[in-house]
Structures are given as structure tokens and as C-alpha cells.
Amino acid sequence: MAINYSEKIPNNVDLSGNKTLQRALEHWQPGFLNWWSEMGPDESTNFEVYLRTATSVDAKGWAHFDYVKMPDYRWGIFLAPAEAERKVNFGEHMGEPAWQEVPGEYRSTLRRIIVTQGDTEPASVEQQRHLGLTCPSLYDLRNLFQVNVEEGRHLWAMVYLLHAHFGRDGREEGEALLARRSGDADNPRILTAFNEKTPDWLSFFMFTFITDRDGKFQLAALAESGFDPLSRTCRFMLTEEAHHMFVGESGIARIIQRTCDAMTEHKTDDPAKLRGLGVIDLPTLQKYLNFHYSVTSDLYGSEISSNAASFYANGLKGRFDETKLADDHKLHGSEYPYMEVVGGQIVVKHAPALTALNERLRDDWVADVQSGINRWNRIPEKAGIAFRFTLPHKGFNRRIGLFTEYHVSPDGKILSEAEWTRQHSAWLPSEEDRAYVCSLMGRVAEPGKFANWIAPPARGINNQPADFEYVRFN
Ligand SMILES: [Fe+2]
Ligand SMILES: [Fe+2]
């Protein structure tokens, strides 16, 4: 179904056929725009940005590119097409027709799931709001803004579900989503990782590579939901998420490329010399990777979780690629491995697969992060540089789950408090590292020019030439 842009709220859900819902969302819209002007990208109101906008939700051609002022971006409600006679595909309701309305018994659980997902969307916009002031190029500035407007649209996606299916409670949750603020002491965002700062572009690229990838896996698990409107909403969000991860992966790849070029040209791997040349040494990139990886890992929750078990048994949240997996889709009697500390040693144990679903989704994400890292590693490999990026142990720097109480080194050894204190600045960005990275951030806003610490991209957005004016400042 094509998207109707003549309406105040573009949509492919026949909004005008439901006047009450339409009015409720039109009432929420000015609050959203206020939030955008207060918490969206800093000092960007008049910029004309070369953005893509969804014109239909089919696989090809849903993206249309044009210059748009961000406050005029057509945020709307787009669901993937309905699948005829879709069923609940897992859990104790398996085989029943998928639910078009919220089952009463799961109402509060589903609302919580949707609110928690929805809260991450505006949170990331808030975390990234100052980055435009220090963009390394117009190309990167445009990508940042594309990510930001789409995270805003993801908020719309979740608020639509709340308004359409949760009545008054849903409308109140919609207001609360506009009221919380990332990092606020009194009214913070729900999840810890979304209250961290994204102070520089290295952090932004790591965030979009790693944390947006958590978004991918959470959305993929919700796309399996027996609650069909949630499934269809998440399926379309996933198409937008792919671009966010591309921005992160290619952003870091370009930083690695630039550093490797400098290492080759100046025949050095000395971090001090490389910093003198104004590029980011590879060990510092590894530390940022360790930080973002461990903080994001916490988003999957505890390794063993009865909530995860009931979300699954009740048909609300599936596994990644649920319908492609060949088993009973109920997990009766099956087990899944996880790690735990026993007597000062990390050991592998097995738990009922139902209670280990958080760990399973985390493992799917880890494998996906690892393949991106393998692609990064081809850059030093090609340059004949020995350095390789690696993922730290799952227990490293964790605040949630079975490793919370322990200090674990990146190679998986349990450390004493003293050992951790002595060594952790070799593994996580120190104040000095962060100050150095911040010192590189300065605005480069001339078409075709790039900051010294990052290589230009291999090709432009929508095949535009290298010196394309992605943002017009006016
Ligand atoms: Fe998102
Ligand atoms: Fe995203």
C-alpha cells in the first residue's frame, strides 16, 4: 500500500478511517515537534538536508531522496504488509491465528515491551544532538541527520501502537516518552546505555555499529511476535535500522583506513606519533569497541530470566529468525549454554532454553558484531599491519547479569579489585583517550572535504559525487 502524504500524518494504516485514533495522534504530533525542536539536532532548524523519505514500504524503491528541512520531515506510520493468515509461530499459543488486538491477559506486559523499545528511539536522538556541531564532513552530517529523523520515526511507530491498542494508558505512555530525557537525574530514559553520553563521532560510529545492532536484534525478535501489529511495525523499522548500522560500520572502517594509511606512510605503530599526526591509533579504537560492546551487552538483560521465558511462552517475543529455526518452537526440554563464575573460575553451564533466551539473543548479536569486526580486520591485513580487533570476553565490564559482581579481563580472567584498578585503563577509554578524541572534533562543512582522522567514503549516498552538497546551511 502506498503511503498517503496528503494527510497531516503520512501513513499506510488508513488512519483517516479511524477518526478517534487520528485525532489522538494529531493531538500528540505538536508535542513531538516541540520535543524535536528542544531535543533534536542542535542548531539545525534551517538546514536543508539531503534525506530519504519512505514513499512506500515495498523492498525496492521505498526510499526517495530530496532536500528537506528536518522539522518538515514527514514522520509517519508505516507498517510492513500484512501476511495472509499469519499465525502465532511459537510458544504455548502456537498455531492460533496471530492477534490483531492485544490479548487482555498480556496487555500490561506488551505495553511495557513497546514502551521500553519506544524509549530508546528519542533517547538516541538526545544522546547525539550536539554531534552536528563537530561533523567530519557534510556526508557524515547528512548520515547523522538521517539516523536522527528515522529514530524519531521509530518513536512514531511505537506511539502508534500505544495509541491504537492501549487506550488511555497508551496515550499517557506516549506523553511520558516525550517527557523523559537521556541522562536526566530525575526523569532519565529507561535503559542505562541510553543515558550514556555520545560525546564525539568515534562514539557515534561505535554506537550505530553496536547499539543500533542491538536494536536490530530486539526488533527482529519482536517482528516474530504473535501480536501482529507489533510484528508488522518492527518489520518495517528493520529496513531503516540497516542504514544506521551501515553508518557505524563504514564510519569506523574509514577511521581504521585513515590510521593504517598514516601508519604505512610514516612507518610507525607508535600511538604517540600517530596522535601527533592527528589520527586515532588502533589500540584506542579497540578501547572504544570494548566500552560500547560491554555497555550494549547489558541491554540483553540477565543470562537467566523468567521474564524472557514468559515473553516467549506467551507468544509475545520470539527468537531471532524464529520461523527459520527447525525445532518445536516451544523449547520444551531443550537446554542452552551460558557462562557463570564458580569458585573464581568461569564455567559453562546449561539452563532450560526458555529461561536462557536473553543469552541466546545476545549470542546472535555477538556473532553479527563479530562478522563486522572481521570485515574491519581486512583493512590492517591488506596494509600488512599486524593489529587485529577482537571482542572482549562476555563477562568484561558488565553491570547486569551473572558477571556484575566480578572484574573480568578482556581475555576472560577473573581479576581482583587491585588488578582491575591497575589495568582497566588499558582496556577502556581513559580520560586522556577521550580528551584526545574530543580534541580532534572540529567542524568540516565544505563539500568534498573530510576531517584528517577519517578517510572519505568509497561512494556517495544515492550515488552522489564526492563533492556533493549533502547539507545546505542557509
Ligand atoms: Fe530505532
Ligand atoms: Fe537505529
Side-chain angles (χ1 to χ4, degrees):
M1 187 178 177
I3 292 164
N4 185 347
Y5 274 95
S6 66
E7 290 186 41
K8 224 166 155 187
I9 300 169
N11 70 91
N12 70 348
V13 295
D14 188 25
L15 198 55
S16 56
N18 183 341
K19 293 293 175 206
T20 316
L21 178 59
Q22 186 177 37
R23 262 196 304 275
L25 284 163
E26 284 179 3
H27 185 75
W28 185 81
Q29 190 173 34
F32 171 83
L33 290 170
N34 280 341
W35 167 80
W36 181 268
S37 80
E38 189 188 324
M39 295 310 293
D42 219 2
E43 294 175 34
S44 65
T45 315
N46 279 320
F47 299 176
E48 287 177 48
V49 188
Y50 187 68
L51 293 176
R52 71 172 182 188
T53 305
T55 51
S56 75
V57 293
D58 16 282
K60 53 180 176 79
W62 68 269
H64 160 87
F65 288 84
D66 207 351
Y67 286 97
V68 180
K69 287 188 182 180
M70 283 188 285
D72 301 333
Y73 186 77
R74 302 305 314 275
W75 286 284
I77 299 157
F78 316 130
L79 270 57
E83 203 181 291
E85 291 173 48
R86 184 166 175 267
K87 303 265 191 283
V88 180
N89 293 316
F90 60 91
E92 299 311 310
H93 298 285
M94 189 167 154
E96 294 174 18
W99 309 305
Q100 299 307 322
E101 290 301 329
V102 180
E105 53 192 320
Y106 305 138
R107 190 184 162 87
S108 64
T109 311
L110 265 175
R111 192 182 71 206
R112 192 71 197 153
I113 289 174
I114 292 167
V115 166
T116 307
Q117 177 62 43
D119 194 64
T120 67
E121 315 292 357
S124 68
V125 175
E126 293 166 2
Q127 288 172 294
Q128 295 162 13
R129 69 182 301 258
H130 300 302
L131 290 173
L133 305 176
T134 57
C135 61
S137 73
L138 287 185
Y139 167 88
D140 291 292
L141 184 61
R142 175 263 166 216
N143 285 349
L144 167 73
F145 290 159
Q146 183 74 56
V147 170
N148 292 159
V149 293
E150 287 176 351
E151 300 303 4
R153 206 205 65 75
H154 289 178
L155 173 59
W156 271 94
M158 293 294 125
V159 166
Y160 163 72
L161 292 174
L162 290 168
H163 276 226
H165 298 281
F166 295 87
R168 188 201 168 108
D169 300 353
R171 292 192 294 278
E172 282 169 6
E173 296 284 14
E175 294 302 320
L177 282 163
L178 295 176
R180 284 185 287 271
R181 292 286 181 269
S182 178
D184 190 279
D186 301 320
N187 195 13
R189 292 294 170 184
I190 295 168
L191 300 167
T192 309
F194 290 88
N195 287 299
E196 298 278 351
K197 286 200 169 77
T198 309
D200 57 68
W201 281 76
L202 175 54
S203 302
F204 169 67
F205 290 134
M206 286 292 178
F207 185 98
T208 42
F209 173 70
I210 292 177
T211 312
D212 281 78
R213 194 175 309 273
D214 163 65
K216 165 184 166 180
F217 282 89
Q218 300 298 343
L219 293 174
L222 295 175
E224 303 290 344
S225 182
F227 178 45
D228 203 45
L230 176 60
S231 164
R232 290 174 59 198
T233 299
C234 291
R235 268 184 279 149
F236 185 66
M237 291 165 77
L238 280 166
T239 62
E240 295 166 315
E241 211 62 76
H243 177 67
H244 307 176
M245 291 180 291
F246 159 80
V247 168
E249 182 173 333
S250 61
I252 300 290
R254 289 161 51 214
I255 299 174
I256 298 171
Q257 185 66 58
R258 179 70 186 98
T259 303
C260 288
D261 289 348
M263 290 170 78
T264 306
E265 191 189 338
H266 296 272
K267 298 189 180 55
T268 182
D269 59 4
D270 177 3
K273 278 196 190 134
L274 290 162
R275 288 187 178 192
L277 294 165
V279 298
I280 307 175
D281 52 287
L282 303 180
T284 297
L285 295 178
Q286 175 70 54
K287 289 191 207 178
Y288 273 73
L289 172 61
N290 293 347
F291 173 76
H292 286 269
Y293 176 72
S294 52
V295 167
T296 304
S297 188
D298 278 342
L299 290 172
Y300 291 87
S302 293
E303 290 79 353
I304 305 302
S305 160
S306 57
N307 272 344
S310 67
F311 292 173
Y312 186 84
N314 296 336
L316 307 179
K317 183 178 179 183
R319 290 171 293 175
F320 180 64
D321 273 348
E322 181 69 47
T323 47
K324 293 183 193 152
L325 299 170
D327 58 19
D328 69 351
H329 300 281
K330 293 187 176 183
L331 302 178
H332 289 163
S334 69
E335 294 193 321
Y336 194 82
Y338 69 100
M339 282 186 272
E340 194 173 5
V341 182
V342 178
Q345 299 289 322
I346 297 174
V347 295
V348 175
K349 288 190 163 184
H350 285 79
L354 264 181
T355 61
L357 283 165
N358 284 345
E359 186 64 4
R360 182 183 178 118
L361 194 60
R362 179 184 290 114
D363 284 341
D364 289 328
W365 165 80
V366 170
D368 208 43
V369 175
Q370 183 65 57
S371 15
I373 286 173
N374 296 345
R375 289 188 290 274
W376 287 349
N377 278 335
R378 284 188 214 134
I379 303 168
E381 191 183 354
K382 252 191 182 164
I385 291 166
F387 191 96
R388 297 289 180 270
F389 294 96
T390 53
L391 284 181
H393 190 275
K394 267 192 201 171
F396 173 76
N397 194 38
R398 295 290 304 282
R399 300 279 179 274
I400 288 175
L402 296 170
F403 290 100
T404 311
E405 309 281 302
Y406 302 93
H407 292 304
V408 179
S409 67
D411 60 356
K413 291 195 190 64
I414 304 288
L415 305 176
S416 68
E417 189 72 43
E419 288 170 312
W420 173 260
T421 306
R422 190 151 42 81
Q423 295 182 75
H424 76 265
S425 68
W427 303 323
L428 290 168
S430 62
E431 285 303 315
E432 196 192 334
D433 296 327
R434 291 198 181 274
Y436 172 67
V437 170
C438 280
S439 77
L440 296 177
M441 301 294 131
R443 188 177 232 209
V444 178
E446 207 182 308
K449 292 273 190 301
F450 289 83
N452 177 61
W453 50 270
I454 190 165
R459 67 190 69 78
I461 291 294
N462 199 25
N463 285 317
Q464 293 296 350
D467 59 351
F468 187 71
E469 192 176 10
Y470 289 100
V471 181
R472 296 176 184 149
F473 293 106
N474 299 313

